[in-house]
Amino acid sequence: MTLPYGGDAWLVTRYSDVRAALADPRLSRAAVVNADVPRRQEMRVGPEGIMYMDPPDHSRLRRLLTRAFTKRRVEELRPKVESIAAELAENLAHKGSPADFVEHFSWPLPTRVICELLGVPYSDRGVFRRGADALMQGDTLPHHEFTGRINELVGYISRLIADRRQRPGGDLLSALIQARDDGDRLTEQELVSLTVVLLAGGHETTANQITNFVYTLLRHPEQLALLRRRPELLPLAVDELMRYIPLGTGHHAAMIATEDLEIGGVPISRGDAVYVHIHSANRDDAVFADPDALDLTREDNHHMGFGHGVHFCAGAQLAHMELGVALRVVLDRFPDLRLAVADDAIRWRSSLLVRGPLSLPVQW
């Protein structure tokens, strides 16, 4: 395919080929940093920390992050997530029908959770919301506005890290500051970069996907009714919805071949740019029976909604838990929830790297 900037690239669409490409060390993410490679936007990819690093640098940061971001920490957070979700559901109910599900539930929930996890004051959410939106919009923002928002976020996080060094707590940010890898701690720049990724990714993506989940279920009433009858299907439902719904609007950066290789029998030359299409892979009929159908009973669901390989989403366990809690609370509290507007009246985000409704009017 030919990209608007930088020329031609390969597009990988089959499940097995996407999986192989994401796990192939000969395809480099670091090689795209500040490089004139095939891309959709005029602006080149900047040094955005762990997202654009290759092993062994990536491996060191990933190990430090994994040690701080444990399954135990996620499970310890579950009661708090359940409490926040229940509170928001009650607030939504008191708001009265109809109401905007995005404003009153799907955005506040992950924002409050990531604040709780990192030890960030919820009252400061405006700072990282502006920064996260800038990261997700990229070059659709004027350059001075993009730079201003990012600098504001980086300055805020730097002050937060300095404070937490002096007064450590039981939060994830304190754990990251203390984490070591063979005696090596994260540098200041690495700490800031990881925290930016966690703040932005920890609420922007989950908030959109909570909305997408509810919207999709309301458009598939037979599957929604099944989930209400059989709530034990909830873990399978989360995975099936992750497979079925394209969260991203497309991979916004290529990988670069560092040597000649083959993908699916196609020769890729050193220096070629490769894009993967995860949503296409998640609809591959060679892997998923009846892939275009939403089936909440689907088992052995090896979707790639959280990615694959060394860049598999570090927060996947937290996101899976949050999504499950959100669905359970909403379905329990609103047994007759339905859309309050016609489907074609729903406005969607059009300039972000993740997709989701700008608002979702619902009634009950």
Side-chain angles (χ1 to χ4, degrees):
M1 61 178 182
T2 301
L3 277 294
Y5 301 93
D8 294 340
W10 296 100
L11 180 64
V12 185
T13 60
R14 296 181 186 90
Y15 182 93
S16 60
D17 295 338
V18 169
R19 193 176 177 90
L22 289 173
D24 196 323
R26 298 170 295 179
L27 291 173
S28 168
R29 288 200 182 190
V32 307
V33 175
N34 294 321
D36 185 18
V37 299
R39 60 198 186 279
R40 296 188 305 170
Q41 69 280 355
E42 183 176 4
M43 186 171 61
R44 301 180 186 186
V45 170
E48 299 178 29
I50 194 169
M51 292 177 65
Y52 295 103
M53 295 175 71
D54 295 331
D57 292 333
H58 175 275
S59 304
R60 181 179 67 85
L61 265 65
R62 179 74 183 213
R63 283 195 297 271
L64 286 164
L65 181 59
T66 301
R67 289 176 187 178
F69 216 150
T70 62
K71 183 177 181 180
R72 177 183 61 81
R73 187 180 292 273
V74 169
E75 284 306 308
E76 287 176 349
L77 197 61
R78 181 184 291 273
K80 185 65 176 180
V81 175
E82 292 172 339
S83 174
I84 294 171
E87 177 191 334
L88 291 171
E90 285 303 318
N91 291 344
L92 178 63
H94 291 150
K95 179 73 177 175
S97 174
D100 181 10
F101 184 77
V102 172
E103 178 184 355
H104 297 291
F105 189 89
S106 60
W107 276 99
L109 176 59
T111 304
R112 287 177 60 176
V113 169
I114 200 64
C115 285
E116 185 77 22
L117 186 67
L118 284 168
V120 177
Y122 184 64
S123 58
D124 293 343
R125 62 192 179 279
V127 176
F128 61 81
R129 177 71 185 272
R130 287 191 295 273
D133 280 351
L135 287 171
M136 293 296 173
Q137 290 183 60
D139 70 338
T140 63
L141 280 177
H143 183 70
H144 71 278
E145 185 175 349
F146 175 85
T147 303
R149 289 195 197 181
I150 298 304
N151 287 343
E152 179 188 32
L153 178 61
V154 168
Y156 172 80
I157 290 172
S158 297
R159 292 190 296 274
L160 198 67
I161 289 170
D163 177 73
R164 206 65 92 253
R165 276 208 171 98
Q166 296 298 318
R167 289 181 288 275
D171 52 80
L172 178 59
L173 185 56
S174 296
L176 286 173
I177 291 169
Q178 297 300 318
R180 290 178 178 270
D181 183 28
D182 294 328
D184 184 18
R185 284 185 177 175
L186 291 165
T187 67
E188 193 75 10
Q189 183 178 351
E190 289 168 345
L191 265 172
V192 171
S193 174
L194 273 181
T195 307
V196 167
V197 169
L198 288 169
L199 273 175
H203 80 280
E204 187 96 30
T205 53
T206 306
N208 277 285
Q209 206 64 323
I210 290 171
T211 311
N212 289 334
F213 276 23
V214 170
Y215 168 78
T216 300
L217 287 173
L218 293 177
R219 294 183 72 243
H220 293 79
E222 72 294 338
Q223 290 293 299
L224 176 57
L226 172 66
L227 187 56
R228 290 190 185 281
R229 290 196 309 271
R230 299 179 57 190
E232 72 276 8
L233 290 175
L234 192 58
L236 294 182
V238 171
D239 280 318
E240 175 64 352
L241 287 160
M242 283 297 301
R243 180 197 72 84
Y244 186 82
I245 298 168
L247 173 60
T249 56
H251 203 297
H252 66 295
M255 298 180 289
I256 306 298
T258 57
E259 58 184 85
D260 294 346
L261 58 108
E262 280 193 2
I263 301 176
V266 176
I268 308 294
S269 299
R270 179 183 177 185
D272 281 0
V274 174
Y275 281 80
V276 296
H277 199 307
I278 286 178
H279 182 51
S280 173
N282 282 339
R283 296 291 186 99
D284 189 339
D285 61 8
V287 178
F288 303 101
D290 199 7
D292 293 330
L294 180 68
D295 179 4
L296 302 188
T297 66
R298 193 184 300 272
E299 297 181 341
D300 299 321
N301 191 342
H302 301 292
H303 66 86
M304 287 187 281
F306 291 115
H308 180 67
V310 297
H311 288 280
F312 180 81
C313 176
Q317 289 185 104
L318 176 62
H320 199 287
M321 183 267 283
E322 279 187 74
L323 291 165
V325 167
L327 273 188
R328 181 179 57 75
V329 168
V330 169
L331 296 185
D332 287 349
R333 183 62 183 81
F334 303 101
D336 60 344
L337 191 71
R338 57 196 183 276
L339 292 174
V341 296
D343 196 56
D344 59 6
I346 296 172
R347 295 181 301 118
W348 292 76
R349 300 176 187 278
S350 59
S351 61
L352 301 181
L353 299 174
V354 292
R355 61 181 291 280
L358 284 165
S359 66
L360 190 69
V362 293
Q363 56 190 8
W364 56 90

